[in-house]
């Protein structure tokens, strides 16, 4: 195991609630029946794809220009919300794991679909642990395509087979597996069936757990 590549939302911090509130406000304005259950479909999905899914709840057609304006409106609201993020919003065990990995000389990268990821890492006070943060603006195919995880490995200079990927969304697990990496899922086993290892909480993650299970 030479590197660990992390997802952000749902693994390092839980920004899903802010994404939900911002989309909910937009959906209410457009009179679309958006709820928490539907929001589950948006985890790990890019901003424009999320918008398309939400708009599919209604019959109205929108031009590309209108869609861009709607996505921008949601993002402005979301950006306002994430100003409040602090190191206390790190999920349990994550900083301890980052520290252990860094001390062991294991590469650390971020493979998040969020364009706001660098800002959130800064607010959480953990940017300095990361050897590379994949620039999602340069990624052509979103998760479940392996591109984002493969880019992380390439930037760290390690082979995919020597990497562990950690995700909370089904599309993310597929992305890790099709990149040829060892997939660790955080959350409900029903949504993580294909993962190589599943933990119910980030508090269970540690260097020794990853090392013991890697490639078994
Ligand atoms: P943004 P992840 C994803 O983060 C979120 O889970 C998803 O809900 C969001 O739409 C996506 O980032 C894009 O975020 O609008 O900030 O660019 O799980 O890949 O870390
Ligand atoms: Mg996620």
């Amino acid at each position: 195991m030479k590197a660990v590549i992390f997802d952000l939302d749902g693994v390092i911090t839980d920004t899903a609630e802010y994404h939900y509130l911002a989309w909910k406000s937009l959906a209410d304005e457009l009179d679309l029946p958006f709820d928490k259950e539907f929001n589950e479909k948006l985890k790990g999905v890019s901003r424009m794809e999320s918008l398309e899914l939400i708009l599919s709840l209604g019959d109205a057609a929108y031009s590309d220009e209108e869609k861009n304006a709607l996505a921008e409106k949601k993002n402005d609201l979301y950006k306002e919300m994430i100003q409040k993020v602090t190191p206390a919003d790190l999920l349990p065990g994550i900083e301890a794991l980052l520290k252990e990995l860094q001390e062991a000389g294991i590469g650390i990268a971020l493979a998040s679909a969020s364009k706001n990821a660098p800002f959130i890492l800064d607010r959480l006070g953990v940017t300095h642990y990361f050897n590379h943060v994949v620039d999602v603006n340069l990624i052509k195919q979103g998760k479940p395509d392996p591109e984002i995880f493969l880019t992380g490995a390439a930037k760290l200079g390690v082979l995919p087979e020597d990497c562990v990927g950690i995700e909370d969304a089904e599309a993310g697990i597929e992305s890790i597996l099709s990149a040829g990496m060892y997939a660790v899922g955080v959350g409900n086993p029903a949504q993580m069936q294909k993962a190589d290892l599943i933990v119910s909480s980030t508090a269970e993650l540690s260097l020794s757990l990853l090392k013991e299970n890697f490639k078994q």
Side-chain angles (χ1 to χ4, degrees):
M1 183 176 95
K2 293 189 180 150
V4 178
I5 307 183
F6 290 82
D7 174 44
L8 178 69
D9 180 23
V11 173
I12 290 178
T13 190
D14 198 0
T15 32
E17 181 67 14
Y18 295 138
H19 280 296
Y20 169 71
L21 292 172
W23 284 127
K24 177 76 182 143
S25 152
L26 188 79
D28 284 352
E29 231 175 87
L30 302 173
D31 239 345
L32 296 170
F34 175 69
D35 59 15
K36 281 232 152 157
E37 196 189 326
F38 193 84
N39 189 57
E40 287 299 307
K41 293 194 206 320
L42 311 183
K43 286 193 176 170
V45 173
S46 76
R47 194 181 308 162
M48 289 315 283
E49 278 177 78
S50 300
L51 176 68
E52 294 287 357
L53 285 170
I54 292 170
L55 294 180
S56 74
L57 291 167
D59 306 318
Y62 296 87
S63 67
D64 285 351
E65 213 176 349
E66 285 168 326
K67 284 181 193 168
N68 287 336
L70 291 172
E72 199 179 317
K73 196 168 193 178
K74 179 267 175 178
N75 193 49
D76 285 345
L77 199 55
Y78 178 70
K79 282 204 306 208
E80 223 176 281
M81 294 174 177
I82 57 177
Q83 303 297 320
K84 290 182 279 192
V85 171
T86 72
D89 294 307
L90 277 167
L91 284 171
I94 288 297
E95 183 147 28
L97 175 63
L98 290 169
K99 217 174 250 168
E100 277 189 304
L101 294 171
Q102 192 178 57
E103 280 168 13
I106 292 172
I108 304 175
L110 190 82
S112 166
S114 174
K115 294 184 178 170
N116 294 295
F119 175 80
I120 295 169
L121 286 186
D122 275 348
R123 292 292 309 161
L124 294 167
V126 293
T127 303
H128 62 100
Y129 289 111
F130 288 82
N131 303 107
H132 187 75
V133 174
V134 176
D135 181 355
V136 71
N137 295 295
L138 306 177
I139 299 297
K140 292 181 199 77
Q141 301 292 327
K143 301 167 190 178
D145 190 277
E147 185 183 357
I148 191 163
F149 280 93
L150 288 175
T151 304
K155 293 284 183 184
L156 294 174
V158 295
L159 293 171
E161 66 216 59
D162 295 328
C163 294
V164 168
I166 310 182
E167 261 287 351
D168 71 313
E170 205 175 355
I173 294 291
E174 277 177 37
S175 174
I176 296 169
L177 291 173
S178 49
M181 299 179 184
Y182 185 84
V184 178
V186 179
N188 184 347
Q191 286 161 10
M192 304 273 131
Q193 281 176 14
K194 293 184 194 148
D196 296 303
L197 173 70
I198 304 165
V199 293
S200 58
S201 154
T202 54
E204 293 167 44
L205 295 169
S206 67
L207 175 58
S208 59
L209 181 87
L210 297 182
K211 271 177 141 175
E212 275 161 29
N213 287 280
F214 185 62
K215 279 189 185 160
Q216 274 187 357

